[in-house]
Amino acid sequence: MLDISMTDEQTIKATVKAYILNEFLPGEDPAALTDTTALVTTGILDSIAVLKAVTFMESQFGITIEPHEAVVDNLNTLSDMARLIMTKKMSPAGQ
């Protein structure tokens, strides 16, 4: 698990990006996955992939993502995911 106090937004994005590339886009050009690439609305991440990504983020960053938070607005892009993680890390006990 990464110590978020030592982790900035760019590091979060890089960590999540590496996971998505390895798990869901093997062989893709990493440059093609930008901070604003739509992942859910374009079908790159389906519902199972979203669940896997949520599980990864929870274990990697020591947070809990509630079911009502696992929505497109929070998970569509790397920027959305990083914002959610940063918000969760700033709240008490990652809740």
Side-chain angles (χ1 to χ4, degrees):
M1 181 168 55
L2 290 176
D3 179 0
I4 201 74
S5 63
M6 303 299 287
T7 307
D8 64 14
E9 186 176 3
Q10 286 306 115
T11 304
I12 292 170
K13 287 178 189 175
T15 302
V16 175
K17 178 177 181 172
Y19 171 77
I20 290 171
L21 286 168
N22 289 333
E23 287 293 314
F24 309 113
L25 298 171
E28 285 294 318
D29 177 7
L33 179 55
T34 68
D35 290 353
T36 57
T37 299
L39 299 168
V40 178
T41 57
T42 60
I44 293 171
L45 297 184
D46 63 13
S47 58
I48 299 300
V50 167
L51 290 175
K52 289 180 178 180
V54 165
T55 301
F56 169 79
M57 289 185 285
E58 288 180 330
S59 64
Q60 186 70 29
F61 299 105
I63 60 172
T64 300
I65 297 173
E66 300 298 330
H68 70 274
E69 295 170 319
V71 296
V72 172
D73 288 348
N74 291 331
L75 302 172
N76 198 39
T77 68
L78 292 174
S79 292
D80 295 337
M81 293 177 194
R83 184 184 67 246
L84 175 62
I85 293 164
M86 297 289 284
T87 300
K88 298 297 281 183
K89 292 308 287 185
M90 293 186 321
S91 67
Q95 299 298 319

